[in-house]
Amino acid sequence: MGKRVALVLAGCGVFDGSEIHEASATLVHLSGGGAEVKIFAPDIEQRDVVNHLKGGPTEEKRNVLVESARLARGDIQDLAELKASEFDAVIFPGGFGVAKNLCSWAVDGKNCTVNEHVNSTLQAFHSAKKPIGLCCISPVLAAKVFPGCEVTVGQDKNVDGRFPDAETASAIAELGCKHICKNVNESHVDKANKIVTTCAFMCKAPLHEIFDGIGTMVQEVLKLA
């Protein structure tokens, strides 16, 4: 029987929701690993809505759950309904929606607050010793909720211009967590906390390398589940 995995989304679109390629890659690798997946998102208004063609904000209002349903092909539930007891693992793809809708990192950095249902979901899986997978900017959720944990968002220096958001690693360290430098095709496993992270689009890399890195994260989550 395949592992039961909850996937938590933050909207639809890199600049104001979940990064679509990351969400899709995660789903493909979970399918390949024989996992049974259910998708969730919080029923809240997005912090902002970005016109992805022009690259700027609009006055439009959108709902995170409704937008996430686009990625879920309509098969999605309110995050408030997620019960950790019904799953073996949980995974959070990245995208600016994580830093805007699931927490306030985009505005407040390490002083951010985490959405109550996101926080309770993370705490429930952690307390049950069930693995948590996070990619791209999502590892900041673990850094905020679990002081002392180990995560990666890639490199802590902008190596060859490929890691423009390397300062995120410093903010993670300031939260009392350990940042582990990894390449885009790798993931890091915090065995003590059962947290698996990979940098994905925190690195400027070809899509296939990001896809492979997410694959290592999914594979490690399924091993721990």
Side-chain angles (χ1 to χ4, degrees):
M1 182 176 177
K3 303 297 183 180
R4 301 163 300 169
V5 180
L7 186 73
V8 181
L9 299 179
C12 181
V14 58
F15 298 123
D16 58 11
S18 288
E19 209 297 318
I20 294 170
H21 297 300
E22 291 177 9
S24 179
T26 303
L27 286 165
V28 170
H29 286 297
L30 285 170
S31 177
E36 177 187 334
V37 182
K38 289 193 176 179
I39 305 175
F40 298 84
D43 186 7
I44 57 174
E45 186 176 295
Q46 291 184 190
R47 179 176 289 273
D48 61 17
V49 177
V50 174
N51 180 322
H52 282 61
L53 180 62
K54 296 182 178 179
T58 72
E59 296 300 315
E60 194 176 347
K61 302 295 183 185
R62 296 193 183 189
N63 177 279
V64 174
L65 178 58
V66 172
E67 291 303 296
S68 298
R70 293 174 178 271
L71 284 169
R73 297 172 61 88
D75 188 6
I76 194 168
Q77 293 175 260
D78 186 344
L79 182 60
E81 299 173 6
L82 193 162
K83 295 180 176 62
S85 60
E86 297 177 355
F87 295 91
D88 300 303
V90 64
I91 295 179
F92 291 75
F96 280 103
V98 172
K100 291 178 175 182
N101 304 325
L102 304 192
C103 70
S104 63
W105 187 278
V107 176
D108 303 318
K110 62 184 174 61
N111 298 315
C112 72
T113 56
V114 178
N115 171 275
E116 61 174 319
H117 296 303
V118 172
N119 183 70
S120 62
T121 295
L122 290 167
Q123 295 282 10
F125 278 85
H126 188 259
S127 296
K129 301 189 185 310
K130 295 179 178 181
I132 298 167
L134 306 139
C135 71
C136 194
I137 193 62
S138 292
V140 302
L141 296 172
K144 187 66 181 182
V145 176
F146 308 119
C149 71
E150 298 176 357
V151 299
T152 189
V153 289
Q155 301 289 325
D156 56 10
K157 295 180 178 61
N158 190 7
V159 181
D160 298 327
R162 298 178 77 215
F163 294 89
D165 302 305
E167 70 277 1
T168 303
S170 299
I172 286 169
E174 289 173 15
L175 284 169
C177 298
K178 186 174 182 179
H179 180 266
I180 309 297
C181 291
K182 289 286 183 178
N183 292 321
V184 68
N185 60 344
E186 300 176 312
S187 56
H188 176 70
V189 181
D190 177 349
K191 293 181 180 178
N193 290 292
K194 289 194 171 183
I195 295 171
V196 187
T197 51
T198 189
C199 70
F201 278 101
M202 294 293 276
C203 176
K204 291 184 176 179
L207 183 57
H208 72 278
E209 292 184 9
I210 291 165
F211 182 87
D212 291 344
I214 291 172
T216 68
M217 181 266 288
V218 170
Q219 185 177 42
E220 294 296 340
V221 166
L222 294 178
K223 280 183 186 176
L224 291 172

